[in-house]
Amino acid sequence: MALLETRGLTASYGDFQALFGVDITVGAGETIAIIGANGAGKTTLMRSISGVLANAASSILYRDEPIGALPAPDILARGIAMVPEGRKLFPSLSVEENLLIGNYGRKVDGPWTLESVFSLFPVLKERRGNPATALSGGQQQMVAIGRGLMSNPAVLLCDEISLGLAPVVVRDIYAAFPRIRETGASIVIVEQDIAQALKVADRVYCMMEGRVTLFGRAADLSRHDIHKAYFGTGHHELA
Ligand SMILES: Nc1ncnc2c1ncn2[C@@H]1O[C@H](COP(=O)(O)OP(=O)(O)OP(=O)(O)O)[C@@H](O)[C@H]1O
Ligand SMILES: [Mg+2]
């Protein structure tokens, strides 16, 4: 049974419709990747689930309850946390203060505390007193993930955590995911790097122009099918 599900989810910015009936399911403990080109609607999907964008109540179900119309603080309180595109850290606050903010919206017991986040990303402990802006891009991304974990979410949504980071840094960040999975959390990762998405996810959804164009178990999807679903009928080549 799905822990989280979207049903015919639509979303618009004013007159512009960005999502056209998106259906995805996320099982308990499952890791899902959402892939798709720029503008496909991946972030809009994340914003809809996390309550940043309001939707029809019954278009998003969580633990079988309609949550599509709930505002972001209520979504977080119920156990869905977002690591937003672009990290959105508080620049003047320290690493530790940024992490603690993740704990304000939802104070529940669970595996994630300052100490366990520091054990997941040891470099953050060394730099706990530094302002977030003093950190490298990769370290800032670790803070953003840690902040999301501090609410002990049942579902962690991660939007483009590898964007703009060197491959070695991306590897370090993804190395943390098995430990996050082990806690039983479900993870939804938006990722433009298809190889990375296939590596980390149990199942993959590909989006194009506001629709899901392909989904399946990561191991079952062929490069050819992904290519078609990702680019449509264009002449691009996958790297
Ligand atoms: N605040 C906004 N106002 C108007 N249109 C928007 C807004 N945010 C996104 N859009 C449009 O909605 C569509 C989907 O955008 P979205 O950011 O969800 O795509 P994405 O798949 O996350 O892309 P990217 O890979 O570039 O992050 C795009 O056509 C985009 O231009
Ligand atoms: Mg995006």
Side-chain angles (χ1 to χ4, degrees), residues 1 10 32 53 58 61 73 75 78 93 111 130 134 158 160 162:
M1 202 189 57
T10 60
I32 298 290
L53 287 175
S58 61
L61 302 177
I75 299 290
R78 284 176 186 232
L93 297 186
N130 293 41
C158 301
E160 305 257 17
S162 54

Side-chain angles (χ1 to χ4, degrees), residues 11-14 16-19 34-47 53 85 159-160 163 190 192 207 209-210 230:
S12 299
Y13 299 101
F16 179 82
Q17 189 168 353
L19 297 181
I34 313 281
I35 61 174
N38 288 321
K42 307 180 298 295
T43 294
T44 304
L45 174 60
M46 294 300 107
R47 286 189 191 133
L53 287 175
E85 195 175 20
D159 196 352
E160 305 257 17
L163 196 69
V190 169
Q192 289 211 26
M207 294 179 67
E209 296 174 1
Y230 198 100

